[in-house]
Amino acid sequence: MAILIVAEHDNKVLQKATLSVLSAATELAQYTDDRELHLLIIGYECQPVVEIAQGIAGVSQILVSDHQIYQSPLAENIASLIVSVAQEQGSADYCHILTSASTSGKDYQPRVAALLDVAQISDIISIESADTFKRPIYAGKAIATVQSIDCIKVITVRSSVFMPVQLITGNKVPITMLNPQADSGKSTFINAVLTQSSRPELTTAKVIVAGGRGMKNAENFKLLDTLADQLNGAVGASRAAVDAGFVANDLQIGQTGKIVAPDLYIAVGISGAIQHIAGISGSKVIVAINNDPDAPIFDIADYGLVADLFEVLPELTTVLKVKG
Ligand SMILES: Cc1cc2nc3c(=O)[nH]c(=O)nc-3n(C[C@H](O)[C@H](O)[C@H](O)COP(=O)(O)OP(=O)(O)OC[C@H]3O[C@@H](n4cnc5c(N)ncnc54)[C@H](O)[C@@H]3O)c2cc1C
């Protein structure tokens, strides 16, 4: 029995989330008969990713399908390849198929589960045994323990809760090339509009400065940009701030936004609704700035400042500027 991990990448760089999924897989391997971890890389001209992946500790085989039909990550095509790998090796060989609970993982992994006629186990945060996992439900208000009796467990992993595995220089994991599957023809890639930012990506940022409806308008968000730049952090937002059009929706954090786990999360003018907390509970230190002493954000904050954000933010940026 082996564990199959589907890599997340952009054909050039392996996403850090995959290293965290590998960490979850390593934990899982302790409960299975065999400890083999196989990494599946699906892409086009993705050799740079393969080279990075060869340095991953603990992986015994890298399976690569490098073909033009995988240039755009269409879930139908990716799912069909994953299923063919699971079935070609004999369904008993792969006991678990893991990927990150990212937007793409959430796109193709349910299709994999459906094609294999098994249940998907979503967004796991802990591994109890080979068939039992913990996952948050009700926006993180409760933790469910789920057990699966399916022969293959198709899983998405909340990568922010698992420490990424290390890359080792000089490591050379063997590679097996795979033929692509036929194009499903069910979907077509039109275009991707990506936000260009010099700031760290929200899901991997060590520092996040996030604003809510209390910021009042888009112009005021520039105060957060300044603070984030001083702390080398990312800027995030509550859904209310996104819905009000203060910032783009790729900055939204929470149940229906991004799940983050920075070392430092600074919530400015955010009330702390349960759906927002669902996305930030993995943060190591939470600082809240809010002028309402009864705001629920103070219940989970490590440090709270009851103050007007329009007075505090300029003071904070001045102090940081002086300290350099
Ligand atoms: C199904 C569903 C999914 C959802 N998903 C998400 C999600 O993913 N992410 C998310 O964030 N929300 C989500 N929500 C919305 C959520 O319920 C809240 O409505 C939202 O988080 C509130 O955003 P907010 O804290 O910015 O706004 P508010 O609740 O309006 O809070 C604004 C805060 O700013 C403070 N404030 C105002 N002026 C100042 C000032 N001058 N100085 C200091 N503080 C000030 C106020 O005291 C207040 O606490 C979801 C809701 C539903 C129903």
Side-chain angles (χ1 to χ4, degrees), residues 139 211-216 237-243 246 252-258 265 267-279 289-298 305-312:
R213 200 182 340 235
M215 295 304 299
K216 309 277 193 267
S238 71
R239 177 161 157 183
V242 169
D243 288 350
F246 301 169
Q252 185 181 318
I253 294 169
Q255 184 190 343
T256 44
K258 290 182 176 156
Y265 186 82
V268 187
I270 292 180
S271 59
I274 177 182
Q275 295 90 354
H276 188 79
I277 303 303
I289 303 171
N290 198 306
N291 60 3
D292 174 6
D294 297 324
I297 191 81
F298 290 126
L305 192 55
V306 180
D308 186 329
L309 68 92
F310 297 107
E311 288 172 16
V312 170

Side-chain angles (χ1 to χ4, degrees), residues 84-147:
S84 83
V85 171
Q87 288 176 338
E88 240 170 59
Q89 311 285 326
S91 57
D93 280 350
Y94 284 116
C95 48
H96 299 82
I97 303 175
L98 269 62
T99 196
S100 148
S102 61
T103 311
S104 5
K106 286 177 189 168
D107 197 8
Y108 60 73
Q109 199 76 324
R111 292 166 204 268
V112 172
L115 290 168
L116 292 172
D117 199 18
V118 298
Q120 185 188 261
I121 307 159
S122 306
D123 205 17
I124 64 161
I125 56 166
S126 136
I127 293 153
E128 305 299 301
S129 72
D131 63 6
T132 308
F133 309 91
K134 288 195 169 170
R135 60 176 298 258
I137 54 170
Y138 301 123
K141 203 68 176 160
I143 304 296
T145 303
V146 291
Q147 186 173 30

